[in-house]
Every structure is written in structure tokens, then in C-alpha cells.
Amino acid sequence: MKKRNLIEMYNLPREVKFCKLCTVSNQRPRITFDSNGICSACTFSEIKKNRINWQTREIELEQLCEKFRKDNGEYDVIVPCSGGKDGSYVAHQLKYRYGMNPLTVTWAPLKASEIGRRNLDSFIKSGFNHILGTPDPIVTRKLTQLSLKHLGDPFQPFIYGQANFPLQVAVNFGISLIMYGENGEVEYGGDMKNAMKPTRDISDHDLHYFSGLPPEFWTNHGVEMNELFPFRSPAFERIVRNNTEIHFMSYYKFWDPQENYYYCHENTGFSANPERTEGTYSKYASLDDEIDGFHYYLGFIKFGIGRATSDSAHEIRDMKITREEGIALVKKFDGEKPVKYLAEFLEYCEISESELEEIVDSWRSDHIWEKSDGEWCLRKPIWHENV
Ligand SMILES: [Zn+2]
């Protein structure tokens, strides 16, 4: 299988460097480091803790709700929510604290996990109107297989729907406000241009969410345009005519994933996994899909950044753990290969384990990986720092 040029594809620096404050490296696409070696997410976190006036932001949120609130029973805000801790927190707050009438929407997981489904059911039972968007499973499966082979990420069809389905519902129901939870670009490091704004530019959509490959791309690989309809964004003119605005709750509220977990445990019947999620140490982050472990694992292969890196970096910034603890967690869990759903995943993708390994290896870049005694090793893992 052809080796990929990751440096070119994702515009990565050739030399791996780690942030001085957290565990993330400069290989995360779009992250930037300042001259002191501090990543953009840590810089933002300092601003968040020290320089943002959260009382003013609270007033801004009340004004936003005031502007969009409809008191006639119609929906006034869309909250994309899988039943996980973040979307559930947003929906619950908007409804019960700010008197909004949300329509919550879920884009179906590729392969729903039991705990994910249970959490979604409990969330709906805590008092929400809800729409589930389920695309044709045959097309979804085809797209998953193609994305794994061509993008090194089986999760891409889910990402299309997750980004575009709320827009489709917004336009079709005439709801102008969409409220997301966190702005991942800002909270985890990425494009900081919207860091101090509550909204997301709709025109940035394809660029950030689809690695420059919108759903239409797959017509080159034998998928019909008609089959792609549920994965696509509504026409740009329709989004504009609907006066659609996409906001992030993390702009208005101090965003703390762990606090969201406690909130949802209390208010929406959210349960954590009895066992930790593969590839990290946490028990409550993205539990909905049996396939997403492979999404994170391939992220680790491509960038040397796995789920434990992202989780620990956020928790270091939130002052829940120290950097040293974070490094130990990364060392222990980051590269863990998902095995729990491996058989199901191989069957779903119609490939053998050795074919999967071949695909995985084609995404290992020489500037991140080397072979030592026949085993793949990170050239520069964070725990080798200063050695
Ligand atoms: Zn950092």
C-alpha cells in the first residue's frame, strides 16, 4: 500500500515538539506554538481562566436567548446532542435555565454502542423533543470502508452527518439558532480565529470538518450523488436565507468537560462506562460508537496524538492533573490498539486484520515513526523529553 505524505497533506512541522505546559505536540493539525513553546490551546486556557469576564458572557447568552426565543411553542434552538455529557448539558441548560424550546438532534452513530443508546434514551426521557437522523446503512458502510482506505479515518461519514444534519434540520424547520457545546478548534488547539467569537463561520465548514474533502468527493469512488444527499450540507443560499447562526456554549460558559459529566449524571441520567475507554484513561468521553476507537487510534498513527494526549492536555489546562501525571497517562494509554470491537470493525469494513494493519502502516510518517527490532516506535515520545 502506498505510503502517504502526511507532512504535505496536513501541513505538519517536520520536527516534533511538545507544548511546555500540556502534553500536546505541534503535530496536531492547525495548532500553533508561541515563541515560548506554549500551544495555542494553553494560551487560550490562560485567557479563559484569567481574562474573560464570565458574568458579561452570561449576559450575552441571555441576550442571545432573548433574541431567538419564540413563546408560541415553536422550536427556537437546535442542539446537536448524541446523549453524551456535552450536548446534554447544553440542551438541559438552555431549556431549564434559559427557558428556550430546543429541538435536539442526533446523527446516528455508525455502529451504536449499548451504553451510548442508553444514555441517549435517558437524555430524551429527561424532557426533550428529539430527532434521530439515520442514513442508509448500506451507503454508510460503503463510505466508512472508502474513508478508512483513502483518508485513514473510518469516521468520516459520521463527521459529515454530525456537521451537516443539524443544518439540514435548521433549514427545514426554519430554526435559525444552532447551539453546539465546545469549539474543539479552540479548546483542543487549532484555528484560533474564532476564539473570541461566539459563532462559527459557516463558510469554514468544509475546510475544518472534512479535511478538504466534502461528501461530493466520493462520487469519484463510485458513490452516487443521490446517495450522498443525507451527508451533505443544505445549499449555502438556503442556510443564509434561514438566517442560520451557529454558536458555541463554550464561548458563553466556562467549559469544563468533567463538570459537564457531573451535571448530566445529576440531571439527564447520564452514566459513564463501567470500564475505561480504550486509548485513554477516562470513562465518560465519546461512548456512543463502536467505531470511534479506530478514529482516535488512526489519529495516533498519523500525528502521534491519541486520545489520552487530548484528554490529558485538556485536564492539565483545567488544573485537574499535573503535566507529569499527564505524561504518565499518555505513556500508558495513548497508543493502545482498540481490541474490544475489533472483530465487529473488521467485519463491518470487510477486511482482514492484516489488511487493516497494512492500511494503518501506510499512514505512519517517517518523521513520527521508526522501526526498532521489528516494532514500530514513536521517534520522539513525550516521555523521552530531556533525556
Ligand atoms: Zn499546551
Side-chain angles (χ1 to χ4, degrees), residues 154-386:
F155 223 40
Q156 192 64 41
F158 177 77
I159 297 170
Y160 289 142
Q162 198 185 31
N164 288 334
F165 184 61
L167 277 173
Q168 290 190 5
V169 177
V171 165
N172 288 323
F173 277 77
I175 304 166
S176 300
L177 178 62
I178 303 177
M179 183 66 88
Y180 276 93
E182 64 187 343
N183 185 343
E185 287 290 309
V186 175
E187 291 284 326
Y188 289 90
D191 187 341
M192 300 306 277
K193 101 175 182 204
N194 295 323
M196 300 308 274
K197 290 201 313 197
T199 51
R200 181 172 90 201
D201 238 334
I202 290 164
S203 49
D204 286 345
H205 216 58
D206 286 359
L207 187 70
H208 288 171
Y209 293 90
F210 309 144
S211 326
L213 297 176
E216 297 81 76
F217 168 78
W218 300 106
T219 53
N220 297 331
H221 291 271
V223 186
E224 300 289 330
M225 192 60 106
N226 289 347
E227 295 178 317
L228 290 168
F229 181 77
F231 299 89
R232 296 180 62 197
S233 159
F236 193 65
E237 310 80 69
R238 291 187 71 200
I239 300 175
V240 174
R241 220 180 308 133
N242 185 52
N243 298 316
T244 317
E245 289 186 23
I246 298 177
H247 287 245
F248 291 100
M249 198 71 156
S250 64
Y251 169 86
Y252 298 102
K253 298 257 176 202
F254 188 92
W255 196 255
D256 185 329
Q258 202 174 320
E259 291 303 318
N260 293 352
Y261 163 66
Y262 294 133
Y263 182 92
C264 292
H265 190 67
E266 190 72 31
N267 294 293
T268 70
F270 181 81
S271 320
N273 231 341
E275 54 199 56
R276 72 174 175 82
T277 310
E278 290 175 306
T280 189
Y281 53 94
S282 90
K283 293 182 173 179
Y284 53 68
S286 41
L287 311 170
D288 315 318
D289 202 316
E290 294 187 350
I291 283 180
D292 76 352
F294 296 91
H295 163 68
Y296 287 99
Y297 180 65
L298 274 141
F300 172 72
I301 299 296
K302 287 172 166 178
F303 311 114
I305 295 175
R307 212 162 176 165
T309 297
S310 301
D311 288 348
S312 63
H314 209 301
E315 290 196 355
I316 293 165
R317 292 175 207 127
D318 294 344
M319 298 187 293
K320 311 275 183 207
I321 57 173
T322 65
R323 186 168 188 270
E324 287 60 41
E325 287 167 330
I327 291 173
L329 291 164
V330 169
K331 185 175 181 188
K332 195 159 180 199
F333 298 115
D334 218 28
E336 186 182 30
K337 192 176 163 183
V339 292
K340 197 170 163 196
Y341 300 115
L342 179 63
E344 286 90 339
F345 180 66
L346 294 173
E347 197 267 325
Y348 188 77
C349 293
E350 297 177 290
I351 53 171
S352 66
E353 195 168 350
S354 62
E355 283 171 309
L356 175 63
E357 253 162 49
E358 217 181 294
I359 294 171
V360 166
D361 288 346
S362 75
W363 291 94
R364 290 184 199 267
S365 178
D366 290 341
H367 80 295
I368 293 181
W369 294 96
E370 63 186 349
K371 253 194 172 164
S372 156
D373 297 330
E375 296 279 327
W376 286 111
C377 302
L378 287 170
R379 261 178 205 281
K380 195 181 167 190
I382 190 166
W383 56 93
H384 283 183
E385 236 179 19
N386 308 323

Side-chain angles (χ1 to χ4, degrees), residues 19-24 38-43 317:
C19 172
K20 296 268 188 294
L21 298 180
C22 70
T23 46
V24 86
I38 313 287
C39 78
S40 47
C42 283
T43 305
R317 292 175 207 127

